[in-house]
Amino acid sequence: MIEVPAHETGIVRVFAVNGDSRGCGTAQSFLTRLEQDPEDIAAEAVRLREMLGADQIDPTYTETFAVKDVADLGLSRYIATAMDVPMETLAPDRARLDALEGEVLIVLSRALGDTAQTLTPGADLTFIGAYKMAEVPLTGPVKAPPPDPMPAPTPVDEIDAPEEISTGRRTLIVGAALLIAALLVMIVGGSN
């Protein structure tokens, strides 16, 4: 029997899948469950409840796979990497974990909900161990950075006045206007 306290977090439980239960369910990971139909997830929950003797379980937070699928990495290193369990925590069971063959079932605390329950795994599961995930230390409350202050409005007396038009430019504009006026007078005067 495995006691699970209410509101448990950060525990990874590993089970070897024995005998006739091997291959019963397809290999499942957190990612493959995202693509499953709700009916398949419900059926998986029933199967896992029976295997674990659990009151409730959410299969979304479980993995079932053949150990050979992580043979290159090793089961202990897979658990350390994928589940964020420190290698020091796995050290006492490392040889046993890496020697497992067949299928394993990994159950995270979240799979068991927030209520206390007692797991009574049947003959189709062998409990290997429970391992604490690494804790992320908090150094204090997380605060959002302060918003950028809005710039203060510029006083009217400090606003730059438009540049004065230079004398040469003014002469050019006046000359062009007089030329246009003279042309208009000639056109209108010539048509009478």
Side-chain angles (χ1 to χ4, degrees):
M1 294 197 320
I2 302 166
E3 296 297 325
V4 179
H7 309 291
E8 175 189 87
T9 59
I11 301 295
V12 177
R13 289 184 176 81
V14 179
F15 298 86
V17 180
N18 305 320
D20 294 339
S21 292
R22 285 188 183 171
C24 273
T26 55
Q28 295 294 329
S29 69
F30 304 115
L31 295 176
T32 58
R33 292 220 196 290
L34 295 175
E35 298 171 353
Q36 268 188 313
D37 290 329
E39 291 174 8
D40 292 338
I41 293 174
E44 182 72 3
V46 170
R47 185 177 85 82
L48 289 171
R49 261 196 319 270
E50 290 171 359
M51 289 175 69
L52 289 164
D55 297 331
Q56 67 178 35
I57 190 159
D58 181 351
T60 306
Y61 302 103
T62 67
E63 286 195 27
T64 305
F65 58 90
V67 176
K68 69 180 181 180
D69 292 345
V70 295
D72 290 344
L73 189 60
L75 184 58
S76 63
R77 185 148 315 276
Y78 173 78
I79 294 168
T81 304
M83 311 298 165
D84 200 22
V85 175
M87 284 303 286
E88 304 80 51
T89 303
L90 296 169
D93 291 342
R94 185 172 184 181
R96 184 176 182 200
L97 288 165
D98 290 339
L100 286 174
E101 295 179 350
E103 293 180 358
V104 292
L105 168 64
I106 296 178
V107 181
L108 302 181
S109 293
R110 273 185 92 170
L112 300 169
D114 288 334
T115 58
Q117 58 179 308
T118 301
L119 303 180
T120 54
D124 41 4
L125 291 179
T126 300
F127 179 63
I128 303 300
Y131 310 100
K132 181 84 173 134
M133 298 167 103
E135 293 184 19
V136 178
L138 293 178
T139 57
V142 178
K143 294 181 182 177
D148 290 336
M150 291 185 61
T154 305
V156 175
D157 58 338
E158 291 181 19
I159 296 176
D160 293 333
E163 291 183 24
E164 293 291 325
I165 298 176
S166 67
T167 305
R169 195 180 253 177
R170 188 177 306 146
T171 304
L172 183 63
I173 293 172
V174 170
L178 287 174
L179 182 61
I180 293 172
L183 286 172
L184 283 174
V185 169
M186 287 173 47
I187 294 172
V188 173
S191 61
N192 284 337

